[in-house]
Amino acid sequence: MTVFHFLNCAVLTFGPHVVYYSATPLSEYDTIGTSVKAAVVYLGAALVKLVCLATFLKVPDANDSFDPYQELMKILIGFIDVAGLYFAMTQLTHRNISQNHKFQAVGLGWAFADSVLHRLAPLWIGARGLEFTWEYIFQGVEANANLVMTLSLAALGSLMWLRKNKPKTLIPIIYACALLLATMPSITSYLRRSLEWQTPKVVGFELFSSLIMAFISWQLFSACQRPM
Amino acid sequence: MPPSGEVLASVSSALAVLLLLLACVELGDAAAAVGVYRLIQYDLAGAPLGSRAAALNHHAAALPLPAGADLSRSALVAPLLDLPLSFLREYLAEKKHLGGLLILLPTNLGAKNGEVSSDDKGQPKSVLAELEKLLVHEEVPFPVYFAFHDDNMENLLADIRKIASSGQPASASTGGYKLIVPSAEPKKVSSPTISNIQGWLPGLKGEGDAEQLPTIAIVANYDTFGAAPALSVGSDSNGSGAVALLEISRIFSRLYSNPKTRGKFNLLFGLTSGGPYNYNGTSKWLRSFDQRVRESIDYAICLNSVGSWSSDLWMHVSKPPENPYIKQIFEDFSDVSKEMGISVGIKHKKINVSNSRVAWEHEQFSRFRVTALTLSELSTPPEFLESAGGLADTRESADVESVMKTVRLVSESLARHIYGLRGRNIDVFAEDSSLAISPHYIRSWLDLFSRTPRVAPFLQKNDPFIAALKKELSEHTADVHVQNDVLDGMFTFYDATKSTLNVYQVASVTFDLLFLLVLGSYLIVLFSFLVITTRGLDDLINIFRRPPSRKVKGA
């Protein structure tokens, strides 16, 4: 029964990535290589992030309140992710795939690697236990929100770095949205730690904000697609 | 290509090892882990008694039960006062199977003089005593555990009741709580030992006094027996007697340390074990003595349950009260008791040598033809394995005042006997003298006894408590000796007296199925949505309509 629960949670956590890959044209153009490369870049970025976190941040105490300086450092370190995405999208040579598919493949690989790295081990250890908690279900929902968020960020990234002729008026909006998306992990951490939101509320917020951001990104993306 | 094949094989074996390691990660993430105490399990002359199982792994159920509930696969959680004994009797009599029983003991067991109203007073105790009697003398085929009814347990109980009130009894399909006590099969305690501790205060021999000095023995058994061995602290039975003995040895050691006040009697102090089992230890202890030593014992005073009496104490004897020795001792006691404003009654009970039941410790002395008596607050001899320090006999059931009165009675009359002060109104142990009885000493020892479960088979011979008793006795007396013997073979005890209960909140299979259903529909909707938005509705329909054609198209 508990293995059943574990499988359920695993499907909730990793299923959407698979579904996304197989449902969208990504599967038809066989972009798995790009996704794998993005995942490898993610691993590298995560390593760099770990080193930076260990170097620049002090060990948080249990009763530590929200420290603005520390959080600022965290946000800055969080931008390593953006740098990684940039690297994955512009520096790596990919097989000839369209920009459209490229950002999706990179975002998908990125989000999948993130899920595997952050959620697989707790899931394996925790969800097989006899004790029932909602924790792993929320974690799965969080993985979904993260996928949407990463895809949005990748879409904005592709607008910023790959598309040359975009409407001038939209550029500040694109940058603002990308900034917002990149600071999203810090925002949720702020909500959780400083405002002491409970997990369901935080996850709900993440889900909601990711959908909003996805919608905005989609609008921006299609606005840039239009011939000028 | 052989090389790549080898690489593949090594990688896959490494992966297998990794998976194996991961699978071995064991989980100890219970919502709550509670210390629980198992009902005693023992064999009496081969007959199995007590709880015969230790492992528990069932869903929790609580009273009141829905009609027709089948409890054979659930663990019943019941506060002591809510558990109808008739229900339990019915289960035991009809040999109905119960998954397990967790009895919640009130935390303020025997809270006396307080806000408790008079009709409540003693009620949990009497219920507990009855329950104990029932469980100890029956064969219980299911695991029975005791735990304390604290706030966490109250919450658990409330939750279980809430789930139960939704209609269905707890089972795998409704979720709820699962109670797990991981426990191996209880093992027999191999050769349970009983340790008797003795110490002497040698009297002063006159010059040329070749003969051996007469001896007065003061004896108390210190071990206990109860439904839950790990909770049987027996403050009154017989912690109080043992504490009184220690205090008497302390004040007499002061008298005997000075040659001027050393009496012409040897004093023998004996802390015996095996008391609940027909004073098995006392018998073995007496047998270990040399015949001459045994004959030198003038009389023996046994102390039993002297921790909660107010004005009446009983002197139990097995020789008729007309016997001159008994008469004399009784008069000694009555003199002192009159001065103290208490009354000492005498009860005569003949011993029946053919009957193996020994109700009082002095009867073992009588069997060796040594004059002996037992001082006790109990007016009637206790039944076998009863009044031996069960669950209800906690610190609250013994008070320092009673022990002090006993000590005063015994030591004052002893002193008059030893120093020949009979009939004279002298307070040897006056309150402000250096020989005063110390309430602090009594209280601290009573506290220690009340914290230490002392069921003899579970007290190893090198137990720190026995070492502490030995050390304390050797502070006051000489020739302290611990005699280890094996408990009568009639008894066999089983271990696993204490365990940890893990309480898990579990989801039901129904929930998991429902969750799978929701998850499946979510993924299907997501799939359809993505296909429609990125490829169009026709593609989606094509996928379902002609899978082979799509494959051809893809190829």
Side-chain angles (χ1 to χ4, degrees):
Chain A
M1 193 190 95
T2 53
V3 176
F4 191 4
H5 185 64
F6 165 73
L7 289 178
N8 274 345
C9 289
V11 166
L12 180 61
T13 312
F14 303 111
H17 302 80
V18 179
V19 166
Y20 192 93
Y21 182 77
S22 53
T24 52
L26 289 180
S27 51
E28 280 178 23
Y29 293 96
D30 197 21
T31 54
I32 193 97
T34 311
S35 294
V36 169
K37 274 181 198 162
V40 170
V41 173
Y42 174 83
L43 284 180
L47 204 66
V48 173
K49 247 166 89 176
L50 273 183
V51 171
C52 288
L53 284 173
T55 313
F56 295 114
L57 292 185
K58 62 178 185 200
V59 181
D61 293 331
N63 54 353
D64 226 6
S65 57
F66 192 82
D67 181 352
Y69 169 72
Q70 296 280 320
E71 291 304 318
L72 196 68
M73 280 310 286
K74 257 188 217 170
I75 293 173
L76 286 180
I77 291 168
F79 277 111
I80 292 173
D81 271 344
V82 182
L85 271 177
Y86 175 77
F87 181 77
M89 270 197 282
T90 56
Q91 302 308 110
L92 287 182
T93 50
H94 298 292
R95 242 165 25 96
N96 266 347
I97 59 174
S98 73
Q99 259 180 41
N100 249 349
H101 296 151
K102 194 187 219 173
F103 88 82
Q104 289 181 48
V106 168
L108 193 62
W110 194 266
F112 190 74
D114 179 74
S115 277
V116 168
L117 214 60
H118 282 111
R119 300 189 174 88
L120 187 62
L123 197 64
W124 178 254
I125 301 218
R128 283 186 317 141
L130 211 44
E131 174 76 18
F132 171 79
T133 55
W134 287 95
E135 194 186 333
Y136 300 103
I137 298 177
F138 285 129
Q139 189 185 287
V141 176
E142 214 172 3
N144 283 268
N146 191 55
L147 170 65
V148 176
M149 212 101 81
T150 313
L151 283 172
S152 317
L153 187 60
L156 293 176
S158 81
L159 285 182
M160 287 190 288
W161 303 314
L162 299 177
R163 187 165 286 273
K164 296 288 176 276
N165 52 343
K166 45 197 177 243
K168 287 277 180 291
T169 49
L170 288 181
I171 290 173
I173 304 176
I174 292 172
Y175 276 84
C177 286
L179 196 69
L180 193 60
L181 274 172
T183 49
M184 203 50 100
S186 297
I187 293 172
T188 50
S189 140
Y190 172 77
L191 292 177
R192 210 186 286 266
R193 300 249 313 282
S194 197
L195 299 186
E196 288 176 358
W197 280 18
Q198 297 301 310
T199 314
K201 216 167 158 187
V202 173
V203 171
F205 170 77
E206 277 180 88
L207 206 57
F208 181 68
S209 59
S210 67
L211 286 176
I212 299 270
M213 291 316 290
F215 181 74
I216 295 173
S217 310
W218 179 48
Q219 289 299 322
L220 284 172
F221 198 80
S222 45
C224 291
Q225 289 292 68
R226 266 181 240 125
M228 303 226 295
Chain B
M1 287 195 291
S4 89
E6 265 171 39
V7 167
L8 203 72
S10 66
V11 163
S12 68
S13 67
L15 215 67
V17 167
L18 193 70
L19 281 177
L20 211 66
L21 277 178
L22 277 175
C24 291
V25 174
E26 250 330 306
L27 315 156
D29 59 338
V34 190
V36 289
Y37 308 92
R38 195 164 80 93
L39 175 66
I40 195 163
Q41 177 181 1
Y42 68 105
D43 297 341
L44 180 58
L49 291 170
S51 170
R52 306 309 294 183
L56 177 70
N57 186 347
H58 286 299
H59 281 81
L63 297 164
L65 294 165
D70 176 25
L71 284 180
S72 63
R73 292 186 54 75
S74 16
L76 184 65
V77 183
L80 175 68
L81 294 179
D82 295 355
L83 180 71
L85 286 180
S86 54
F87 167 83
L88 205 55
R89 276 203 194 91
E90 183 192 316
Y91 261 82
L92 290 176
E94 296 175 18
K95 298 224 178 301
K96 282 208 258 178
H97 197 72
L98 190 65
L101 180 60
L102 178 68
I103 298 171
L104 302 180
L105 304 171
T107 40
N108 59 343
L109 196 71
K112 274 186 180 172
N113 42 29
E115 64 281 10
V116 190
S117 64
S118 60
D119 51 30
D120 276 355
K121 201 189 270 180
Q123 202 215 347
K125 284 201 164 187
S126 58
V127 174
L128 199 53
E130 210 172 328
L131 175 76
E132 208 167 2
K133 202 166 146 185
L134 176 69
L135 289 175
V136 160
H137 295 291
E138 289 273 357
E139 181 185 354
V140 185
F142 44 83
V144 178
Y145 281 97
F146 296 92
F148 286 106
H149 194 164
D150 53 10
D151 290 345
N152 294 334
M153 275 297 181
E154 184 59 46
N155 293 341
L156 174 69
L157 209 58
D159 269 5
I160 296 171
R161 285 200 180 118
K162 206 162 74 190
I163 294 166
S165 66
S166 66
Q168 295 144 305
S171 67
S173 63
T174 51
Y177 286 90
K178 201 157 196 190
L179 305 184
I180 295 183
V181 178
S183 180
E185 188 74 11
K187 284 193 285 291
K188 283 180 186 173
V189 178
S190 59
S191 59
T193 52
I194 41 180
S195 306
N196 302 309
I197 309 157
Q198 66 176 54
W200 289 87
L201 275 179
L204 189 68
K205 273 188 186 176
E207 294 100 54
D209 224 355
E211 257 182 73
Q212 214 171 359
L213 287 176
T215 300
I216 298 172
I218 295 151
V219 189
N221 75 290
Y222 67 88
D223 71 324
T224 59
F225 182 90
L231 288 177
S232 300
V233 294
S235 301
D236 191 14
S237 308
N238 187 22
S240 59
V243 172
L245 181 140
L246 288 176
E247 174 66 0
I248 293 167
S249 79
R250 188 184 72 84
I251 53 181
F252 270 94
S253 79
R254 294 209 157 183
L255 271 176
Y256 270 54
S257 62
N258 187 341
K260 281 183 194 161
T261 53
R262 193 182 289 179
K264 284 191 164 45
F265 284 86
N266 294 324
L267 291 180
L268 168 61
F269 295 94
L271 285 167
T272 59
S273 183
Y277 323 109
N278 293 327
Y279 294 98
N280 195 259
T282 315
S283 158
K284 296 217 157 121
W285 182 55
L286 285 173
R287 197 163 291 144
S288 76
F289 280 119
D290 190 65
Q291 173 75 15
R292 279 185 318 182
V293 176
R294 224 184 296 150
E295 275 172 5
S296 78
I297 298 177
D298 235 14
Y299 61 88
I301 300 171
C302 307
L303 302 169
N304 185 309
S305 309
V306 290
S308 59
W309 55 286
S310 51
S311 65
D312 295 294
L313 202 62
W314 298 95
M315 172 173 147
H316 298 271
V317 289
S318 48
K319 287 182 183 171
E322 296 80 38
N323 179 300
Y325 277 108
I326 300 291
K327 212 168 177 180
Q328 188 210 329
I329 299 165
F330 182 62
E331 272 167 16
D332 281 353
F333 278 135
S334 335
D335 285 353
V336 179
S337 66
K338 264 180 215 132
E339 286 161 28
M340 286 170 66
I342 55 174
S343 84
V344 176
I346 192 163
K347 288 256 172 160
H348 173 219
K349 173 179 168 286
K350 268 193 187 166
I351 58 167
N352 181 358
V353 183
S354 62
N355 188 350
S356 65
R357 171 69 188 140
V358 179
W360 297 112
E361 190 161 21
H362 71 261
E363 294 179 8
Q364 288 291 11
F365 284 86
S366 300
R367 283 173 191 229
F368 285 93
R369 302 189 198 297
V370 176
T371 308
L373 59 100
T374 296
L375 278 179
S376 174
E377 72 211 7
L378 306 170
S379 59
T380 52
E383 291 295 315
F384 183 49
L385 296 181
E386 278 166 34
S387 298
L391 287 172
D393 196 352
T394 52
R395 174 67 182 87
E396 290 81 15
S397 62
D399 60 278
V400 175
E401 198 56 39
S402 304
V403 180
M404 275 181 78
K405 278 189 288 187
T406 312
V407 171
R408 176 171 301 277
L409 176 72
V410 173
S411 45
E412 206 67 61
S413 63
L414 261 182
R416 288 178 195 192
H417 183 78
I418 291 171
Y419 301 112
L421 303 170
R422 184 162 319 119
R424 281 192 264 171
N425 203 347
I426 294 175
D427 254 355
V428 180
F429 305 101
E431 259 172 46
D432 43 2
S433 70
S434 61
L435 292 173
I437 297 161
S438 160
H440 307 294
Y441 184 83
I442 292 175
R443 175 168 296 120
S444 60
W445 272 98
L446 210 51
D447 288 345
L448 178 64
F449 270 82
S450 307
R451 280 197 305 268
T452 321
R454 304 186 302 278
V455 177
F458 304 108
L459 272 185
Q460 301 302 317
K461 57 185 164 201
N462 51 3
D463 193 276
F465 186 73
I466 292 175
L469 285 181
K470 185 189 173 192
K471 184 164 175 291
E472 186 59 30
L473 210 56
S474 54
E475 295 269 308
H476 309 315
T477 61
D479 299 332
V480 173
H481 171 65
V482 179
Q483 182 218 0
N484 292 310
D485 213 323
V486 179
L487 184 67
D488 198 339
M490 211 165 76
F491 293 91
T492 312
F493 290 87
Y494 294 81
D495 63 359
T497 60
K498 232 195 227 181
S499 245
T500 307
L501 169 75
N502 292 320
V503 183
Y504 291 97
Q505 189 172 18
V506 291
S508 63
V509 175
T510 329
F511 175 83
D512 274 342
L513 282 173
L514 210 68
F515 182 45
L516 183 68
L517 210 68
V518 170
L519 201 59
S521 26
Y522 163 64
L523 288 182
I524 288 168
V525 167
L526 186 68
F527 185 84
S528 314
F529 173 75
L530 287 172
V531 169
I532 291 167
T533 47
T534 55
R535 299 193 224 165
L537 187 61
D538 293 341
D539 254 38
L540 182 67
I541 295 165
N542 283 343
I543 289 171
F544 292 106
R545 196 172 282 166
R546 293 195 306 262
S549 76
R550 190 177 151 262
K551 238 180 199 170
V552 170
K553 193 176 140 199

